[in-house]
Amino acid sequence: MGLHDDSLDYHESDPPGKIEIATTKSTSTQRDLSLAYSPGVAAPCGEIAETPEDAYRYTAKGNLVAVVSDGSAVLGLGDIGPVASKPVMEGKGVLFKRFADIDVFDIELDASSTEAFVGHVAAMEPTFGGVNLEDIAAPDCFTIEERLREQMDVPVFHDDQHGTAIISGAALINAAQIAGKDLGDLNVTFAGAGAAATATARFFVSLGVSTENITMCDIDGILTSDRAAQGELHQYNREFARDRTPGDLADAMDSSDVFVGLSAGGIVDEAMVRSMAENPIIFAMANPDPEIDYHAAKNAREDTVIMATGRSDYPNQVNNVLGFPFIFRGALDVRATEINEAMKVAAAERLAELAREDVPDAVVKAYGEQPLQFGPEYIIPKPLDPRILFELAPAVANAAVESGAARRELDLSQYVEHLEARLGKSREMMRVVFNKAQRDPKRVVFAEGTDVKIIRAAYQLIDQEIADPVLIGDREQITQTISELGLSFSPDILDPAEMELDTYAETLYERRKRNGITRRDAAERITDGNYLGSVLVERGEADAMLTGLTHQYPAALRPPLQIIGTDDDADYAAGVYMLTFKNRVVFCADTTVNQDPSAEVLAEVTRHTAALARRFNVEPRAALLSYSDFGSVRTAGAAKPRRAAERLRENPTVDFPVDGEMQADTAVVEEMLTGTYEFSDLDEPANVLVFPNLEAGNIAYKLLQRLGGAEAIGPMLVGMDKPVHVLQRGDEVKDIVNMASVAVVDAQEK
């Protein structure tokens, strides 16, 4: 089957279409229904009638956008009418929800005139927090947007105009920097004089391009003053008519620094590219076929051609999804009355800045493991970059406040946390740890300091002021990697080949001399990053340690266990995973260390896991798990967690609820726990789950992660005398940053 048939099957499969309505409150009881509708709904109605602004408090208005079209200019399809455009508008709703958690009603209007279109949309203002106009033909789209912005007190945004303008504007900022040219000196040629081209030209002027340096062409050639005087141009592109000799696109492109194509495929040839100025910038954005093929443009000349298209299979895709979800997110959250020029410029500038920063591993993997580093082949971020939400939305929100378009202000630091929570519970939980770590960063030593991921994580830790990383490894190799990655930072590097290691070897010898280690052995082993890092932490020259990225877990854990050892009140270390679901978080122990723990070990692991939960501001409720519920099976296996729970309840220092033995579903399903076992010491579902052995713990957390859709953070090592965490081979940079942050908070508490 081809793409055509696949797409039809995709849209037709039950339920048809791509969107649905879902409730956000419980509707499982009669009381729920009486609150959701009659008679309870009368209360918020009365409040809103008295204070209309309270609609943002009691309804979904503040997170609801109308995507409105008449289907008169659908990309690549033309004037197909309102009904045929509905799949496109539903798709727009999918993107709003996927990238910025904004709900959408798609509205396709069969309006008889511009006036009727405007009247219909304006009348819907009480329903929506914003309006996204889509696929409306020029010049009517200009008139419709202008009138709606005048009449409505919520943001109105025609994405075909401004979305393309903002994303290509961000690309222009970075392309000009790479080409070594100032925006004010650029000579820019446009192919196309419709809505997108006109709006983009205007926006380039807002960024600093001189109006006099813009030449615009339509199908009949260059827009000139003579053509404007003869009435050939409409009022919206007339401002770019030039007092110059008539000519075609080839004439306009001669000596230009920038070509912007928003017209038709195949209208530019290699000779036209060769006629451009040094290091030309070419944005060929016609879809599906650009004005000139990517490879043809790059091969047309020997200097640097900085190329962008509208296609995802070439570098530098100018994709509107980089803009509109996040622009609306920021506008909605400050209840803006409009999306003004200051907000659009702020979005473009922050998007350009983001492209100059290190790219997360998840984004690189999503795009085929190809290197993504600021330069001619990477001048704008990729759409799947999760950072865009909590970078662009705050920039837009702040610009709205500063420009007077906002009806409420936000604490930007708290706002970022709010946005991160929209991307998943794990981000919300990690933000708690990041905030704690940033209050008092600690010195974290990385045993595998030459690894690229470790170096990138170190950069982020310094940039975010989370930790002071110390990299163990060959200095020359580390500095060369930093240079190749284009990172601007100078971490603390400890190169064993440069160090006087006798003191550290002596510490290792003293710790292990009665365990088969001679002085010669110690002198040899101390050059290993795991041993040197462990000794640094033990001597207090570092506060915490991370290792394991390039080692098997047991091999990485062995040196810190031998040198640092367990805490004074612990005889065993244990590995804990934090699993986050949409509205719940659980801590699973032990998942990595103790194969067949006794009741005493289970009790100890429970205490340390509860302490870990509190570092995430989670009050622990612990369940000792088994295949038995409170004595329903009398076996040695079931007795072990039962005895562990008894030991914990008898311990006067245990200040959290704990019970067991119990089955896993009893522990986490409230109806089962409180309805059947009302005697349990847990009056709410457990959030600390302690498994009876390593096999059960490891199997369970992986099943929850893969089949239950949980996000996993860990394994976090508990019970150590000083903070040590062992990474998993294959961990991404964000995982390393997360674990280092946990280590910093561990060190703060110790």
Side-chain angles (χ1 to χ4, degrees), residues 19 65-68 85-87 89-90 93 104-108 128:
I19 57 177
V65 167
V67 173
V68 187
S85 74
K86 188 172 178 63
M89 303 312 131
E90 285 189 354
V104 161
F105 288 163
D106 65 290
I107 298 171
E108 295 74 35
F128 298 102

Side-chain angles (χ1 to χ4, degrees), residues 166-167 170 174 322 346-355 380-381 388 392:
I166 291 166
I167 310 311
N174 282 338
L322 285 166
E349 290 179 343
R350 188 64 194 101
L351 200 60
E353 291 169 3
L354 194 59
I380 42 178
I388 300 174
L392 252 66

Side-chain angles (χ1 to χ4, degrees), residues 625-628 631 633-643 660-661:
L625 301 182
S626 178
Y627 59 92
S628 168
V633 176
R634 292 288 179 175
T635 65
K640 186 171 61 171
R642 187 185 317 139
R643 290 198 305 271
E661 86 283 15

Side-chain angles (χ1 to χ4, degrees), residues 177-306:
Q177 177 178 323
I178 293 168
K181 300 178 181 181
D182 294 327
L183 292 174
D185 297 331
L186 294 176
N187 286 304
V188 184
T189 295
F190 277 82
T198 304
T200 301
R202 288 175 173 175
F203 188 67
F204 283 10
V205 172
S206 297
L207 294 177
V209 175
S210 172
T211 304
E212 290 71 27
N213 290 347
I214 294 175
T215 301
M216 187 171 287
C217 302
D218 62 11
I219 195 170
D220 296 316
I222 297 171
L223 273 58
T224 64
S225 300
D226 287 344
R227 290 183 62 193
Q230 294 168 15
E232 295 182 22
L233 312 180
H234 58 69
Q235 67 183 90
Y236 299 103
N237 60 21
R238 198 175 298 150
E239 65 189 274
F240 295 105
R242 293 289 160 263
D243 186 12
R244 60 166 289 171
T245 304
D248 58 16
L249 180 59
D251 296 320
M253 287 182 64
D254 187 20
S255 301
S256 287
D257 297 289
V258 182
F259 167 77
V260 179
L262 289 160
S263 52
I267 64 172
V268 174
D269 59 32
E270 294 182 32
M272 295 160 75
V273 173
R274 284 193 290 270
S275 75
M276 295 179 70
E278 182 183 10
N279 298 329
I281 299 166
I282 299 176
F283 296 167
M285 295 180 285
N287 257 326
D289 299 315
E291 285 79 1
I292 181 170
D293 176 72
Y294 174 84
H295 298 292
K298 296 286 283 188
N299 294 331
R301 46 195 298 160
E302 295 183 357
D303 59 357
T304 301
V305 177
I306 303 171

Side-chain angles (χ1 to χ4, degrees), residues 22-220:
T23 58
T24 59
K25 303 292 191 297
S26 173
T27 56
S28 59
T29 68
Q30 179 58 42
R31 177 169 172 76
D32 290 339
L33 295 176
S34 68
L35 292 172
Y37 193 52
S38 181
V41 76
C45 288
E47 295 294 318
I48 295 169
E50 184 174 332
T51 309
E53 187 75 6
D54 280 352
Y56 288 95
R57 294 180 60 189
Y58 300 117
T59 76
K61 176 183 174 78
N63 196 51
L64 187 60
V65 167
V67 173
V68 187
S69 180
D70 62 359
S72 60
V74 177
L75 181 65
L77 299 174
D79 186 355
I80 60 175
V83 175
S85 74
K86 188 172 178 63
V88 180
M89 303 312 131
E90 285 189 354
K92 197 81 172 188
V94 169
L95 298 179
F96 267 108
K97 188 66 177 178
R98 163 63 176 81
F99 288 101
D101 195 27
I102 293 173
D103 297 317
V104 161
F105 288 163
D106 65 290
I107 298 171
E108 295 74 35
L109 291 178
D110 187 4
S112 58
S113 66
T114 297
E115 290 72 19
F117 191 106
V118 171
H120 292 326
V121 177
M124 293 187 286
E125 181 173 345
T127 303
F128 298 102
V131 174
N132 183 93
L133 301 172
E134 193 77 15
D135 293 347
I136 303 168
D140 289 348
C141 62
F142 295 103
T143 305
I144 288 170
E145 186 188 38
E146 280 186 2
R147 293 185 183 176
L148 287 175
R149 291 186 64 179
E150 291 170 359
Q151 295 183 33
M152 301 184 76
D153 205 26
V154 297
V156 177
F157 185 82
H158 184 207
D159 188 45
D160 298 315
Q161 294 182 53
H162 310 300
T164 301
I166 291 166
I167 310 311
S168 61
L172 182 70
I173 292 170
N174 282 338
Q177 177 178 323
I178 293 168
K181 300 178 181 181
D182 294 327
L183 292 174
D185 297 331
L186 294 176
N187 286 304
V188 184
T189 295
F190 277 82
T198 304
T200 301
R202 288 175 173 175
F203 188 67
F204 283 10
V205 172
S206 297
L207 294 177
V209 175
S210 172
T211 304
E212 290 71 27
N213 290 347
I214 294 175
T215 301
M216 187 171 287
C217 302
D218 62 11
I219 195 170
D220 296 316

Side-chain angles (χ1 to χ4, degrees), residues 305-363:
V305 177
I306 303 171
M307 179 84 172
T309 71
R311 295 176 56 126
S312 60
D313 52 350
Y314 296 134
N316 300 324
Q317 182 191 20
V318 177
N319 190 332
N320 286 15
V321 78
L322 285 166
F324 67 84
F326 317 107
I327 293 167
F328 267 99
R329 180 78 274 158
L332 290 173
D333 290 338
V334 293
R335 299 178 190 170
T337 58
E338 63 176 347
I339 295 173
N340 58 30
E341 203 68 11
M343 296 159 72
K344 290 182 280 187
V345 169
E349 290 179 343
R350 188 64 194 101
L351 200 60
E353 291 169 3
L354 194 59
R356 300 176 212 138
E357 299 177 6
D358 189 42
V359 182
D361 285 348
V363 179

